[in-house]
Amino acid sequence: MTSFKENLRNELDFQGLTVKELSARTGIIKGTLDNYLGARASIPPADIAVKIADALHVSVEYLVKGEDRKIRMESMSEVAVTPESRMILRDLKSVPSNIKESLTTLIHQTAVMFARKTQDD
């Protein structure tokens, strides 16, 4: 199981966000966020964890345990994301933006279709 610190850092890297940008999204002071990512690696209270998860469009469970690999899509439905697909999306940083948008959309659509099929079965 991974730590809150690791999961938060991985998600920030995955989304290409800085701590300062997360601070602006959440209203949480940058220094407080740095405490969650620093050597002490403190864990935030539930209300703060919810703010962070909402801003990153992930579940609190994912941030805390690293096991619930779900992201919220624009439609606000939740879709399971495998570690492999997350790695693929992370690797898209080196792809030109016009191609990255198309590939990201395709990956998300595939994940939505897979989630619907899984629910139907």
Side-chain angles (χ1 to χ4, degrees), residues 79 106-120:
V79 178
L106 179 62
I107 291 167
H108 285 268
Q109 288 171 346
T110 303
V112 169
M113 289 188 322
F114 179 76
R116 287 184 185 144
K117 179 166 178 28
T118 303
Q119 287 175 350
D120 292 342

Side-chain angles (χ1 to χ4, degrees), residues 28-117:
I28 300 168
I29 298 168
K30 182 185 176 297
T32 300
L33 293 171
D34 286 334
N35 286 335
Y36 306 139
L37 293 163
R40 293 184 60 210
S42 59
I43 297 177
D47 60 326
I48 300 299
V50 168
K51 278 185 178 181
I52 293 169
D54 284 348
L56 295 173
H57 307 293
V58 297
S59 69
V60 174
E61 184 177 7
Y62 167 71
L63 288 176
V64 173
K65 295 170 55 178
E67 295 173 357
D68 181 359
R69 305 235 189 269
K70 292 185 177 182
I71 58 170
R72 269 184 258 164
M73 308 299 287
E74 289 74 25
S75 66
M76 296 308 289
S77 62
E78 290 194 349
V79 178
V81 177
T82 65
E84 293 81 12
S85 62
R86 195 169 274 283
M87 287 173 54
I88 290 168
L89 289 169
R90 192 173 290 139
D91 290 342
L92 287 176
K93 287 182 179 180
S94 62
V95 174
S97 60
N98 60 332
I99 295 171
K100 184 180 357 181
E101 282 181 35
S102 298
L103 288 173
T104 302
T105 300
L106 179 62
I107 291 167
H108 285 268
Q109 288 171 346
T110 303
V112 169
M113 289 188 322
F114 179 76
R116 287 184 185 144
K117 179 166 178 28

